[in-house]
Amino acid sequence: MTDPAAALREILGPKGWLSGDDAQPFQRDWLNRYGVRPLGVARPANTAEVAAVVKACRQAGLAVVPQGGNTGLCGGAVADQTNVVIVSLSRMTAIGEPDPESGSIAVEAGVVLASLHEALEPHGLMFPMHLGAEGSARIGGLIGTNAGGSHAFRFGMMQDLVLGLEVVMPDGTVWDGLRAVQKDNAGYQLRKLFCGSEGTLGIVTRAVLRLCPMHRQQTSALLVMSDFAAAVSFGAFLRGEAGEFLTGLEFFSDVGLTLALKHLPDLAYQLETRGDVYLLVEMASGSTRVPLDDILASALEWGMEQGVVVDGALANSGAQRAQFWRLREEQPEGQRLEGEQLKHDISVPPGAIARFIEAGAKTCHDILPGTRSNPFGHLGDGNIPLQSVAARRPRRFRRQGRSVRRGAGRFSHRDGRQLRGRAWPGPRQDRHGRPESRHCRARAHGAVEGRVRSAGHDEPQCFGANQGALRFRSGRVENGGFREPERSVLKVREHWKRRKPAFAGRPCLNIDTPCTVKKNFRMHRIS
């Protein structure tokens, strides 16, 4: 068989194929926790080259890991084995001409989010997606993870901002779904299947995105709240008082603020009062006639009268507004520089935020006494990156991290909430080889999602999203995150005695009743 590296180098040329030390920048994740040296890094320049790479990897039986800006914290965009090809879309950075009448623009998947914002500014348009990593996050990765950001409660998540996609499928064919139609009820919304699929269904190469008119005025305030319950109550009041103008509603704790100020000397806190909880409020409008300052000042006055707002300040300049936002956005960096940490990305109903944070902190402290919980996130949509920092004994902290993740997952699932698909940090398994997020996904949801992933392949199977990998062997897509079986990820075998449910890849196929393939048969991992 032809050397796969030589074949890929021939397809991509010297600029498009990196190996050895040249692949080092693509090898590790942002936290420098995960990633081994891959076979190489493919850097295609267009969709045709992506398709050629996928076909070559399928023929050679190699795993493919799509990589955008590599800003994730789960190790999902780096290799976990040496026989893996990372497909970086960093060379596919073309930005089309915006269509102001239709409110759309076509871009390639390697476009950096901040670059898109800069390109749209002269046209008076904006793409309403903002997050701390926008200086390095790429459009393809945002689509693959169905990113939300700080404006999700107002403008929706990435799937709500995508009008059309072009995707290279696992067999190397190209699905052309590049449509700019905003009201599309012509059958299944196939583009939404790829939003959040984390590279397991195909590699997004181009997208048509929804645009909005640029805001002509903004006003921001940083508030000290009495507690998390007060922040939730005040957030509900703001949504009722100024819902159509509210664009940002972020919270963070004093633990995170202390860490950020400690490790980032250029960061400044401009209020006189410190508290346990802080709320960042932003309002914006496309019209200069809307009295945003008066609306926000009136809301703050009400909050102080009710005793939920302890102190606050309105931003009187763009520089001060940027400083307010940095206090929120530098929370992950401050914690990273502090040392050992555990990360969870959890979504709950906004009204349950205070109860969840209290119970989550207690769970972490019961398992690891002395642990500092650092919750922060989006008050408007209930997304909480619940993070824990080791106070002492980091080795024990690492060992007990699995129990903390399980506890958070059980609490979230027990209360009918959603622990999002990844169990942070990283693609890890328990002693039974099951994904650690298994407590966190409803059984019906996991089973349906697994069948969607296996549709179109010649065996019933599921391939893992924890590595975002497409693994090709004998014409089948196999598990990219767990140990590679000899034939396929799942097999159907007779099962009479063991009543333990089966798990295979993420999402968890937690099947308590027999499959419909044959009576009294169930799907199991090959051991």
Side-chain angles (χ1 to χ4, degrees), residues 110-346:
V111 171
V112 174
L113 180 57
S115 300
L116 178 60
H117 290 160
E118 293 173 3
L120 291 173
E121 188 173 353
H123 300 274
L125 298 169
M126 69 172 186
F127 180 61
M129 169 72 67
H130 293 275
L131 62 161
E134 64 185 40
S136 50
R138 300 182 185 273
I139 295 299
L142 296 172
I143 293 171
T145 56
N146 193 22
S150 57
H151 291 57
F153 77 98
R154 171 74 183 274
F155 297 101
M157 299 180 68
M158 197 68 186
Q159 66 172 0
D160 303 303
L161 302 175
V162 172
L163 298 175
L165 291 176
E166 178 186 78
V167 184
V168 175
M169 305 301 288
D171 61 355
T173 59
V174 179
W175 175 65
D176 185 359
L178 287 173
R179 306 179 66 185
V181 179
Q182 299 202 18
K183 184 179 180 181
D184 184 359
N185 57 1
Y188 299 112
Q189 300 300 297
L190 296 178
R191 69 183 186 276
K192 293 197 173 184
L193 283 177
F194 298 98
C195 297
S197 63
E198 299 180 335
T200 59
L201 299 180
I203 301 177
V204 174
T205 52
R206 289 196 294 167
V208 177
L209 305 176
R210 183 196 303 268
L211 303 178
C212 298
M214 183 175 291
H215 294 141
R216 295 186 180 180
Q217 63 163 327
Q218 293 175 313
T219 184
S220 304
L222 180 63
L223 312 177
V224 181
M225 311 303 295
S226 56
D227 52 31
F228 284 106
V232 172
S233 174
F234 189 64
F237 172 78
L238 283 173
R239 285 192 292 271
E241 188 74 8
E244 62 268 36
F245 305 119
L246 202 59
T247 56
L249 200 56
E250 302 287 297
F251 72 91
F252 53 95
S253 71
D254 197 55
V255 173
L257 178 62
T258 300
L259 295 178
L261 294 174
K262 173 183 176 182
H263 294 289
L264 301 168
D266 61 331
L267 209 56
Y269 178 73
Q270 302 177 0
L271 276 68
E272 296 181 358
T273 308
R274 293 283 291 266
D276 293 333
V277 185
Y278 304 89
L279 190 64
L280 177 58
V281 180
E282 181 166 284
M283 294 183 184
S285 173
S287 172
T288 57
R289 299 180 180 181
V290 178
L292 292 182
D293 290 337
D294 294 341
I295 295 173
L296 184 53
S298 175
L300 297 186
E301 184 179 351
W302 178 90
M304 290 183 176
E305 289 176 355
Q306 299 298 315
V308 295
V309 177
V310 178
D311 193 8
L314 291 171
N316 19 8
S317 68
Q320 192 173 31
R321 172 182 171 271
Q323 279 290 337
F324 285 174
W325 274 100
R326 277 202 68 203
L327 292 174
R328 159 64 182 88
E329 292 174 345
E330 296 289 5
Q331 297 284 307
E333 180 66 7
Q335 183 166 307
R336 183 184 71 86
L337 295 173
E338 178 70 7
E340 195 66 33
Q341 57 185 301
L342 292 174
K343 295 179 175 291
H344 302 82
D345 195 19
I346 299 171

